[in-house]
Structures are given as structure tokens and as C-alpha cells.
Amino acid sequence: MDKVWQSRIIEQYKHRPNDNRSPWQVDRSRIIHAAAFRRLQAKTQIMGIGLNDFYRTRLTHSLEVSQIGTGILRHLKSQHSDFSHFPSTGLLETLCLAHDIGHPPFGHGGEIALNYMMRDHGGFEGNAQTLRIVAKLEPYSNGYGMNLTRRTLLGFIKYPAFINELWHTIPDTRNSRAFIKADDWRPAKGLYQDDAHIFDWIVEPLSQNDRTLLNTHATIDKHRAKTLYKSLDSAIMEHADDIAYAVHDLEDAIATRVLTLDDWQTHALPHLQALNFEWLNTLLETLTSRLFSKNDFERKDAIGELVNTFIIHIHLDIQNEAFECPILKYTAKLHPEYESVLHILKHFVFQRLIRDPEMQQIEFKGQNLLIELFTAFASDPLRLLPETTQAQYIEAQKHNQGMRIICDYLSGMSDEYAYKTYQRLFLPAQ
């Protein structure tokens, strides 16, 4: 079974004398040297590029997710030394480093813009785009992306169902309007139907029972459904991502004085105090003073303590007894009390930082810029697209997938490159 999960969709001979890397280490190398990975240095995490020279970009965020993810893995292995189905360190690093490479410029504003423009062509979603990049677009092979191992590709799939199945009701667009409402166009989280052949190859070793169960989803609102299961590897990566988002992005906001002690005391502290469990009760006073201390080392110490606490309270658990494959049957879970703390921190960052009107205005600007770029390129793709992308567009149009190529092109842009492209197309020369 291990050999099946180490296999690649195509066999390639590479002249690499004395190469003693494992298949997972080869995957990690391909990620690190990919253009899509490098572009993360110029993509928004939360605070827009250019607002400050301290904050995290998607690249530094991904490095931190990798560090946290390997910490979770070490902890789980020490707690469950008899469990033989954990991912290797190299495999988990690959997932953590590349988990965000499918995210477009301008953060969630860019994701909303592309989903709106792709509403009649299968939608857009950042995690689906990540799989598409690693398995199809990155030019390490001819048409198979980085040609990564099967288990690595499965780990990238956080939502193992197709957007067409999950997006129940597409909002009405009959009335022409200058702008769109973001909440109407938040994407259903799944995979593109265009990439069904990739997904089919990834899950080929699974039994029919496991494939059916993995595809299970539940309705979350009138527009969307959400999948219920993912692989063990993907679950560990997602915990690392959540911790980095909640804790390290909180650190950014405090250090740059975007979030203040008054914000914390008004909007976070009461919810944390209401949890009323011993670890938190004894920590809250000193945690508050260290987070908002004038001494940077005290804030760093508090951040490190929070990260460590979340890591050591993650455990191996049964996801669903009905799964036959061990990497689906088992998952990683955070203890409920600590999950509640993490949720409060995430909500605090979201409401007080991401949903801040000034931040939303910046996101709105990027959102509309991408809509205008997409409209322009779609109006005359064989005139405006780069030559290599034109060739891809012509080939894709044979299968009525030309809009997906335009979407690929725009989603791969950095924030700055998208701005420059917009200026070139729409603004007079300076």
C-alpha cells in the first residue's frame, strides 16, 4: 500500500546520480523551487503589501505553518509511537509550505472576484487552485504540474467534493450592477470539475466505500454545502494553519498597533474569561500584560507559549470507523477547551482586523480591480493574454474551458503585478 501512495501520475526519468532523497523529500524540493511558491512573498496574508515592513506575507505565513505542523507531528508521534500511518516530516512540510499557493492576489477579495467571474464556469476557490497548480499547471512536467506523489496530493485536498455539487444556488445576476456583495460570492469549498481526472487518480487506491464516504457533505447555508472529511495529513496541516492564523497574525496586529489593549479587553478578554477553565484562568492576566508589553521579548514569549499549548493538546482520534484506509479513518483533533480558545482568537482577529472597514476597503479595491482585469482579458483573450497562455487558452477552448485559463493566469499574479497590469491596460502613462 505504501508504494501505491508513493506513486506519481506519470513516470519521469530524471538524471540525478546518488540522489538519496525519499519521495516525500523530492516533493518538498519541487515545491520550494516552484514559481508559484516564490510568488507567495508578494501576496497579501492579512495586512496589504506595502502598508508596513513588519507584517507577514503568505510566504512567511507558510514557513510558520510548516514549523508548527512539524511540531504537531513530533508531538503526535511521541504520544502514539505504535501508530505507523503518520506522514513523514518531508510530506507534511510539503503540504504546509504549499497550502496557500492557490490563493489569488488581494486575499479573500481576490477569491470573491474570481469566483464571481467564474460563476458559469465551475467557480473559483483557493484550495482547489492549489491542487490545480501542483497537479497540472506548474511546468515541472508536460501537463501534470509538479508530478507529486499520490499521498501528497491527497493531503492538499481539504474539501474532497466538486464545487458543482457544493454550490447549490448561484446568486441572481440578471440585474446589472456596478459592484457585487462579497457575502453572496464567497466560494463553496471544493474542487473544480475541470480537474476531476486528477481527483479520480488520487483516490483510485481507495475502496468504493471510502470514496463515497470521503465525498460526504452537509448544507451550511442556502448557497453552499461543506465536506465533512479529509485525510490525516490534511487535518494536521489545517491545525497548523489555524494556529498560525490565530496567533501569529494576532502578533502582527498588536506589534503594528492595529489592535490595541482596549480592543483586546473589550472584544476578546470577556469571551476568554467566560470559558472558565483552570489553565486559562491562571494565564489570562499575565498573557494580557505580555501580549501588550512595551518589551518585544515579552510579547514573543506569550506568542510562543500559546503556540506550544495548542500543539501539545492535539491528539490522534478516529474520524469515522467506517473508513477502511487508515489515513482516512484517523484524524488529528484539538482538545475542545483549547479549540474554544483558538476559535475566540481567530474570531477576534477576523472581526477586529480583517473586517475592519479600512481593511475591507483595501480588499474591495483589489476585488474590483481583478473583476475589471478578468473582463478585459475575457473580451479578447487572443490579443491580451501572453503568448504561452494564448496557446493554453486555444487548447482549453476545445473542451469549453477557456475561462479557466484566464482565471489561472490572473490568480497566479502577485498583488503588485496585478496593479501594474491594471495600470498598463486602463491608466494613462505617468
Side-chain angles (χ1 to χ4, degrees):
M1 195 63 171
D2 285 344
K3 288 293 183 183
V4 171
W5 290 110
Q6 291 177 16
S7 63
R8 304 178 189 276
I9 197 166
I10 58 168
E11 292 298 324
Q12 291 176 292
Y13 174 74
K14 300 290 183 180
H15 184 63
R16 306 288 189 269
N18 301 314
D19 187 350
N20 58 8
R21 293 175 298 172
S22 72
W24 324 116
Q25 290 169 330
V26 170
D27 285 356
R28 181 183 57 191
S29 298
R30 293 181 183 183
I31 291 294
I32 289 172
H33 295 287
F37 180 69
R38 292 194 297 275
R39 289 191 191 104
L40 292 174
Q41 66 188 307
K43 288 191 177 185
T44 296
Q45 170 61 11
I46 287 184
M47 303 177 70
I49 302 295
L51 292 180
N52 191 285
D53 64 358
F54 171 84
Y55 58 83
R56 290 161 168 89
T57 65
R58 284 205 183 271
L59 179 61
T60 56
H61 164 75
S62 298
L63 294 172
E64 287 174 334
V65 172
S66 178
Q67 185 268 327
I68 294 170
T70 54
I72 295 171
L73 182 60
R74 282 194 305 272
H75 168 71
L76 289 174
K77 285 183 174 179
S78 70
Q79 297 298 306
H80 307 275
S81 57
D82 58 338
F83 185 76
S84 59
H85 303 287
F86 284 120
S88 72
T89 300
L91 192 162
L92 193 66
E93 284 178 336
T94 301
L95 299 180
C96 292
L97 289 171
H99 78 282
D100 265 355
I101 64 173
H103 283 250
F106 312 121
H108 291 294
E111 190 174 46
I112 287 164
L114 293 179
N115 191 46
Y116 170 72
M117 295 305 294
M118 290 295 289
R119 61 193 179 276
D120 297 323
H121 307 282
F124 177 87
E125 199 272 327
N127 296 284
Q129 193 68 19
T130 293
L131 180 67
R132 184 169 170 83
I133 288 170
V134 299
K136 195 167 190 176
L137 300 181
E138 190 68 24
Y140 190 87
S141 66
N142 185 17
Y144 297 96
M146 301 181 200
N147 195 28
L148 304 179
T149 57
R150 182 182 260 121
R151 180 164 177 174
T152 297
L153 292 177
L154 181 64
F156 279 120
I157 301 175
K158 292 170 63 175
Y159 309 104
F162 296 110
I163 289 174
N164 303 37
E165 302 169 4
L166 302 171
W167 200 359
H168 292 157
T169 309
I170 297 176
D172 185 12
T173 57
R174 286 175 298 178
N175 296 324
S176 178
R177 49 185 173 175
F179 303 112
I180 62 172
K181 185 176 180 181
D183 284 344
D184 286 349
W185 296 100
R186 298 195 187 281
K189 295 182 179 296
L191 304 172
Y192 303 139
Q193 193 68 49
D194 293 347
D195 299 328
H197 63 289
I198 298 170
F199 181 66
D200 289 343
W201 180 81
I202 294 169
V203 300
E204 189 179 295
L206 299 176
S207 67
Q208 186 58 54
N209 170 76
D210 281 7
R211 290 186 218 177
T212 302
L213 193 56
L214 186 62
N215 186 253
T216 306
H217 46 271
T219 299
I220 55 173
D221 60 34
K222 66 178 181 178
H223 294 307
R224 293 163 287 254
K226 187 175 181 180
T227 56
L228 302 181
Y229 303 115
K230 56 178 65 70
S231 72
L232 170 62
D233 310 349
S234 188
I236 297 172
M237 176 264 285
E238 188 169 41
H239 281 304
D241 189 22
D242 284 348
I243 294 169
Y245 166 76
V247 181
H248 288 306
D249 290 344
L250 172 65
E251 179 188 9
D252 264 8
I254 293 173
T256 54
R257 296 180 174 82
V258 175
L259 291 180
T260 66
L261 177 59
D262 182 64
D263 289 324
W264 173 263
Q265 291 175 330
T266 303
H267 300 285
L269 204 55
H271 298 288
L272 293 170
Q273 290 168 334
L275 294 178
N276 193 30
F277 72 95
E278 186 176 355
W279 167 77
L280 196 56
N281 291 342
T282 58
L283 176 70
L284 267 180
E285 185 176 343
T286 62
L287 176 65
T288 299
S289 64
R290 285 181 292 158
L291 281 176
F292 293 90
S293 171
K294 294 180 180 179
N295 298 315
D296 289 347
F297 70 86
E298 290 192 8
R299 183 177 62 249
K300 279 289 183 186
D301 181 63
I303 293 296
E305 183 175 340
L306 280 174
V307 170
N308 178 73
T309 298
F310 291 130
I311 287 175
I312 64 175
H313 287 93
I314 292 174
H315 61 279
L316 192 67
D317 204 348
I318 299 285
Q319 178 167 233
N320 190 318
E321 283 281 9
F323 279 116
E324 298 166 24
C325 178
I327 60 177
L328 296 179
K329 177 179 288 188
Y330 293 91
T331 191
K333 287 187 178 178
L334 180 59
H335 188 282
E337 288 182 330
Y338 297 90
E339 179 72 43
S340 298
V341 176
L342 188 64
H343 175 76
I344 289 169
L345 295 180
K346 286 173 62 179
H347 186 73
F348 176 58
V349 170
F350 179 77
Q351 289 294 336
R352 304 305 301 172
L353 180 59
I354 296 175
R355 296 297 294 178
D356 175 76
E358 185 173 332
M359 287 292 182
Q360 285 300 302
Q361 289 169 13
I362 295 169
E363 190 175 284
F364 179 82
K365 178 181 179 181
Q367 170 186 307
N368 288 301
L369 185 150
L370 264 189
I371 289 174
E372 290 197 50
L373 283 180
F374 199 115
T375 303
F377 280 102
S379 72
D380 201 347
L382 297 183
R383 178 188 181 194
L384 299 177
L385 288 171
E387 287 186 11
T388 54
T389 311
Q390 288 181 30
Q392 295 169 7
Y393 178 87
I394 291 170
E395 185 62 29
Q397 271 297 80
K398 296 176 183 177
H399 309 284
N400 198 30
Q401 295 176 358
M403 292 299 102
R404 181 63 64 193
I405 301 303
I406 297 174
C407 187
D408 290 339
Y409 175 64
L410 294 175
S411 69
M413 291 180 173
S414 67
D415 296 27
E416 183 64 25
Y417 189 76
Y419 274 127
K420 288 180 178 178
T421 303
Y422 182 87
Q423 290 171 345
R424 190 163 59 245
L425 286 173
F426 296 110
L427 301 181
Q430 298 295 319

